[in-house]
Amino acid sequence: MIEISKIIVAILILLGAFLSLVTTFGLLRLPDVYTRNHAASKAATLGIMSIMLGTFIYFYMEHGHFNSRVLLGILFVFFTAPVSGHLISRAAYNSGVKLWDKSVRDDLKKARENSKSTR
Amino acid sequence: MKTNDIILQTATKVIAFVIILFSIRLFFSGHYYAGGGFVGGLMTSAALVLIMIAFDMKTVEWILPINYRFLIGIGLLTSVSTGLIGVFMGDPFLTHYFGYFDLPILGKTSLHTAALFDLGVYFVVVGVTMTIIKSIGESE
């Protein structure tokens, strides 16, 4: 195994673990559902993709084993995690979860009032 | 208020293909790697349930016009008749055979009758899962 690839694998996996840790801090410390969802669906997605890329490079360089399922998994997580984050956030808004009391803008509420008044 | 599911529906159109392809791969890799008829069947029905969530029940019936109760029967019949091959050849019930064949595109391939048994398991799992979910979802 080439030494440079070892360093790249280590950097990718440690970066992914660090991003997952950042996600848990965001989930614990942020004030309302929307900001927590923002932290969870962005940082965790990038962290998992980075860990999977590190795993793929490790098995390819160390064992010569091209594992296409890991690449498919990266694509799948990249595609599905933002969609699920969007759906959770929208379900929270539609069931009337309040925004953080210090937030200043609510464009969706304004757009809904406009569409109600024109109808 | 009319809801707007366009993000979920567009994502489902792409993801359902990936899930079904991966379930077929799991089904065929069952002999040498992890996988098999059970997991493959569960994953196929998971893709159908995803389409059912994003669109509705009628879309799934339009894509795949199958009565899933018949699918259970077809699967059980496949598994039992695979076992009966051994009886007709003069061996005990559920004796499996394999051989190497030269297929036109794939080249030298080992074909095993256990794959047909697994196909029966696959059909039964898809049929049972979809029957349970549809009968729970339809009762209002």
Side-chain angles (χ1 to χ4, degrees):
Chain A
M1 186 174 173
I2 310 164
E3 290 299 316
I4 287 178
S5 72
K6 266 186 192 170
I7 297 169
I8 292 174
V9 165
I11 287 173
L12 279 173
I13 289 178
L14 286 175
L15 186 75
F18 173 73
L19 282 171
S20 307
L21 187 70
V22 168
T23 305
T24 48
F25 278 123
L27 282 179
L28 289 175
R29 291 190 57 94
L30 287 173
D32 69 342
V33 175
Y34 307 103
T35 45
R36 281 179 184 169
N37 196 356
H38 173 83
S41 62
K42 273 186 180 162
T45 309
L46 192 60
I48 289 167
M49 281 166 65
S50 158
I51 289 176
M52 282 166 117
L53 192 63
T55 315
F56 172 76
I57 294 173
Y58 175 78
F59 277 104
Y60 189 53
M61 300 306 282
E62 178 88 1
H63 302 285
H65 175 61
F66 188 89
N67 198 339
S68 58
R69 282 160 311 213
V70 178
L71 289 181
L72 192 70
I74 292 174
L75 199 74
F76 196 78
V77 169
F78 182 67
F79 210 90
T80 52
V83 175
S84 56
H86 159 78
L87 286 174
I88 291 169
S89 200
R90 209 182 65 153
Y93 195 90
N94 284 345
S95 55
V97 177
K98 293 275 185 299
L99 272 71
W100 187 31
D101 49 1
K102 284 181 193 165
S103 53
V104 289
R105 287 180 67 151
D106 193 354
D107 284 345
L108 186 54
K109 193 177 165 191
K110 225 182 287 174
R112 281 194 178 174
E113 279 163 3
N114 284 344
S115 70
K116 257 178 208 165
S117 60
T118 52
R119 220 172 267 164
Chain B
M1 201 192 91
K2 195 170 183 301
T3 52
N4 184 358
D5 279 340
I6 193 157
I7 293 179
L8 177 62
Q9 288 180 351
T10 314
T12 301
K13 280 175 193 166
V14 179
I15 288 169
F17 278 108
V18 178
I19 297 174
I20 287 177
L21 279 178
F22 193 68
S23 75
I24 292 170
R25 190 247 169 228
L26 273 180
F27 170 73
F28 279 112
S29 73
H31 202 74
Y32 294 107
Y33 301 101
F38 189 76
V39 194
L42 274 182
M43 212 160 183
T44 307
S45 48
L48 292 176
V49 169
L50 180 66
I51 299 172
M52 217 178 250
I53 289 170
F55 297 91
D56 52 354
M57 215 85 91
K58 279 176 188 159
T59 316
V60 180
E61 278 166 13
W62 177 70
I63 294 170
L64 209 67
I66 296 175
N67 190 349
Y68 294 102
R69 295 190 181 92
F70 289 153
L71 205 63
I72 302 174
I74 291 169
L76 285 174
L77 207 65
T78 312
S79 294
V80 171
S81 53
T82 312
L84 284 177
I85 293 173
V87 175
F88 287 125
M89 304 284 273
D91 288 321
F93 184 60
L94 281 174
T95 308
H96 287 292
Y97 304 96
F98 69 97
Y100 294 95
F101 297 96
D102 271 326
L103 297 180
I105 300 169
L106 299 170
K108 188 185 174 192
T109 317
S110 79
L111 297 178
H112 203 294
T113 52
L116 291 175
F117 186 81
D118 232 13
L119 190 70
V121 175
Y122 179 88
F123 281 153
V124 170
V125 170
V126 172
V128 168
T129 316
M130 295 308 289
T131 307
I132 291 171
I133 289 171
K134 271 183 77 176
S135 57
I136 289 174
E138 273 172 349
S139 62
E140 297 273 318

